[in-house]
Every structure is written in C-alpha cells, then in structure tokens.
Amino acid sequence: MLEKGKISHRQLTVLTILYTIGTSILIVPSIMAVFSKQDGWIACLIGTAANLLTILIYSALASRYPTLTLAEFSEKILGKWLGKVISLFFLSFIFLLSSFLLRVVGNFMTTHIMPNTPIEITIILFMAVVVYAVRLGIETTARAAEIFLPFVIALFLFLTFFLLPQIRIDRAEPVFENGIKPILLGAFYYFNLQEQVILMMLVPYTNRPKKARSALLAGTLLGSVVIIVSVLLSTLVLGTEFTQRNMYASYTLAKQISVGNFLQRVEAMLAIIWLITIFFKTVVCMYAVTLGTAQTLRLKEYRTLTLPFALLLVFLSLLVYDNIVSFIAFTPKVFSVYATIFMVLIPAGLLGIDALRSSMKGNQTSS
C-alpha cells in the first residue's frame, strides 16, 4: 500500500461523523422541505437506516480484503482490466463529487460571507488548504479531526439550545399529510447525499481493519443525528414553506437566535461548523481519489497527483453548474440516481461476485 500511516478505530469514527455532517447540515433541510414537506425528519430517519444497511455491505466486502482499498480489491475480484475499469469509474465519481463540494463552498462564501470576493479566489484558497492536508496524510488529518470535533459539537449544541424557545410543534403537523411516497423520495435523496462508500478507501489504513464496521456505523449514526436535528429545527422554527425557499436553511435558522446585545452574528457559528465539516469531507474525497488513482495506475506515490488533480478540480468546480437554481434541480434528481450506482450497485455486485467465486472454489475443493 502506498500510504503507511495508520488511524485508530476512534479516529475513523470521528472522521465518519464529520464526513457525514459535511455539506448536509446546510443543504439537506431545504431539500427535505421541498420533497417531504414537514415530514422531512422522517425521511432522514429512513435515509439513515438505508445508510447503515449499506455500511453492512461495505463492511462485509472490506472484511474479505482488509488490507486492500476498493480500488485494489476490484482487480482481485474482477480481474486486472475489468477491475481497473470499475476502479477508474468509481474514482471518477469521487472526482465529480469533490468538484461539487468545492463549488458549494464557493457559492456559500460568496453569497453569505464575502459577497465581494470572486468565487474563483474562494475556491482556490479552500483547495490549497485541502491539498496541504492531503499531502500530510490521513493520519495527520485524523488527528486534526479529533481536535475539531468537540468544537463542532459544542457550537451545534449552543445553537440548538438557543433555538428551543422558538420551536412550534404545530409546524410539524399533520404527519404523513401527503402519504408515504414523498417521504420515501426524500429518504432516497438524503441517502444519496451521504456517499459513505468513499470511506471504504480509509478502512485498510486503520489499525484494526476487520473491526472498522462499528466505527463506520457509530460515526454515521452520530453524524446523522446532527442532520436530523437540523431538519427538525428548520421545520419547527422556520416552517416548511420558508425552509424550502432557502437553499441554506440552517444558516438562515441560526439568524433567528437572539442573545442580547453582547452576542451578534450568531449565524457565523453555523458557518464555522459547516466549513470544518465540509473541509474534512473534501479532504477525505481528495485523498481517496488521489490514492485510488495511484493504486490503479501502479504509481509509487499518490502525493504527486495532488497538485494536478487540484487544478482540474478547481476548473471543473466552475463548470459543474451555473447557479444555485440549477444545482437544486440537478442534485436530487440526477446526481442521486448516478450516486446509487456507486453506493449500492457496484459494492453489492462486487460482494455477490466474490461470494459466488468463493462458493465455487469451496465446491471444487470439497469435490
């Protein structure tokens, strides 16, 4: 393996929590309000259950090849050339996702934080920090995640506590007003916004790869709790109609907090939470795509790919969509279907083929 650093079971849990929160804390409340209305929190619960089920598939697959990443064991299962094709196909998905993450950062910062700063500058600066983290390695990134997680949790609890007086339970009623179909649709979109399959690239670099399942399950569950609470608060404080009209509903939600005259611009705390979590999600994606490409192409060092990939990502991030309206239209309806191929079909297919091969070998041995 190219990367020699190891991360602990706890560090994998921390990275999974931050990765799960990622972009979702900002954009999921509005998407859930659009498709599932006031039942968005129920859709998130179902989507979380689906994520946990797929992690069981990923873990079963990873346990068969505990020292190999998905890019490596694809060749073991499918053969050299078909395995490389599937690997590169999977890596293209991570690359596209990374460009989306960059663009979301650029849009948010130029819309709410630094409106006079060109989006290109914001994206380039953010990408520079990501590249630096990726070059330091996953072990250093995991240690940094342990430092930042308590701040993320503390800020989120602070925001939640001061929003409690503004909650109106009637805004979540009536439950199941539009039936189960919109809830399942919202659950499908939520499920595909998590992209937990990419975390499989980290499993071989844990100190106990065969026990990574519990870390991934715990991290996904804890991160999902933050998202579900955000969706609930957006619904109960802002209302469904207001939430679905705001792309960054959680940020708007934080503006509702009033803590006297001594604490203003509380929404900056939500922006800090989001920037920290999306930074770690982008680092994990960038690390996965550079490492996976190096493994597929049999390169000795993944770090040589970080700069050229960073330049390509900056360029692609400026092209992936024109504006927020096109992003809202594209992400749930198109990207979610596309992501399903990599989150469900490819892992399940690899697991099924590998299990079938093992069964056939066992029958041949017994005969």
Side-chain angles (χ1 to χ4, degrees), residues 213-275:
R213 181 176 65 178
S214 59
L216 294 175
L217 288 172
T220 299
L221 184 60
L222 293 172
S224 297
V225 168
V226 174
I227 307 305
I228 294 168
V229 171
S230 299
V231 172
L232 260 177
L233 287 174
S234 298
T235 301
L236 298 178
V237 176
L238 299 177
T240 301
E241 292 185 4
F242 193 79
T243 299
Q244 65 186 11
R245 290 199 303 266
N246 286 268
M247 174 62 186
Y248 307 115
S250 296
Y251 185 76
T252 305
L253 179 67
K255 291 182 178 181
Q256 308 303 309
I257 298 175
S258 177
V259 195
N261 296 322
F262 66 93
L263 188 58
Q264 300 179 356
R265 296 300 303 266
V266 178
E267 67 272 14
M269 295 184 183
L270 195 284
I272 292 171
I273 292 175
W274 180 73
L275 284 173

Side-chain angles (χ1 to χ4, degrees), residues 191-203:
F191 164 72
N192 284 290
L193 283 172
Q194 301 305 304
E195 302 100 6
Q196 306 297 84
V197 66
I198 297 172
L199 294 168
M200 287 183 66
M201 295 294 293
L202 304 184
V203 171

Side-chain angles (χ1 to χ4, degrees), residues 276-293:
I276 291 173
T277 56
I278 196 173
F279 167 75
F280 282 102
K281 183 167 185 174
T282 309
V283 169
V284 169
C285 290
M286 181 72 171
Y287 174 79
V289 74
T290 51
L291 177 65
T293 303

Side-chain angles (χ1 to χ4, degrees), residues 57-58 60-65 68-84 86 200 346-358 361:
I57 297 175
Y58 307 153
L61 189 54
S63 65
R64 292 173 174 265
Y65 302 93
L68 303 180
T69 66
L70 187 145
E72 293 174 313
F73 63 64
S74 294
E75 294 186 38
K76 291 281 187 180
I77 297 173
L78 300 175
K80 181 178 179 180
W81 296 111
L82 182 57
K84 284 185 182 294
I86 293 298
M200 287 183 66
I346 288 180
L350 289 173
L351 181 60
I353 292 172
D354 192 57
L356 181 61
R357 287 179 58 188
S358 299
K361 287 181 180 179

Side-chain angles (χ1 to χ4, degrees), residues 171-213:
R171 286 175 172 156
E173 299 173 346
V175 180
F176 291 98
E177 179 183 19
N178 301 304
I180 192 65
K181 185 177 178 180
I183 296 176
L184 293 179
L185 188 62
F188 174 73
Y189 294 147
Y190 173 80
F191 164 72
N192 284 290
L193 283 172
Q194 301 305 304
E195 302 100 6
Q196 306 297 84
V197 66
I198 297 172
L199 294 168
M200 287 183 66
M201 295 294 293
L202 304 184
V203 171
Y205 303 106
T206 60
N207 54 7
R208 293 184 294 173
K210 292 186 177 181
K211 296 185 177 181
R213 181 176 65 178

Side-chain angles (χ1 to χ4, degrees), residues 58-133:
Y58 307 153
S59 301
L61 189 54
S63 65
R64 292 173 174 265
Y65 302 93
T67 61
L68 303 180
T69 66
L70 187 145
E72 293 174 313
F73 63 64
S74 294
E75 294 186 38
K76 291 281 187 180
I77 297 173
L78 300 175
K80 181 178 179 180
W81 296 111
L82 182 57
K84 284 185 182 294
V85 170
I86 293 298
S87 175
L88 291 173
F89 191 42
F90 176 74
L91 293 169
S92 69
F93 163 69
I94 306 177
F95 194 83
L96 180 62
L97 173 62
S98 301
S99 69
F100 272 107
L101 296 176
L102 280 178
R103 184 55 184 266
V104 170
V105 171
N107 277 345
F108 175 76
M109 295 298 289
T110 53
T111 301
H112 293 285
I113 308 298
M114 299 184 295
N116 296 322
T117 302
I119 190 172
E120 295 85 355
I121 300 299
T122 301
I123 291 175
I124 290 171
L125 290 176
F126 186 80
M127 190 73 245
V129 182
V130 169
V131 168
Y132 182 69

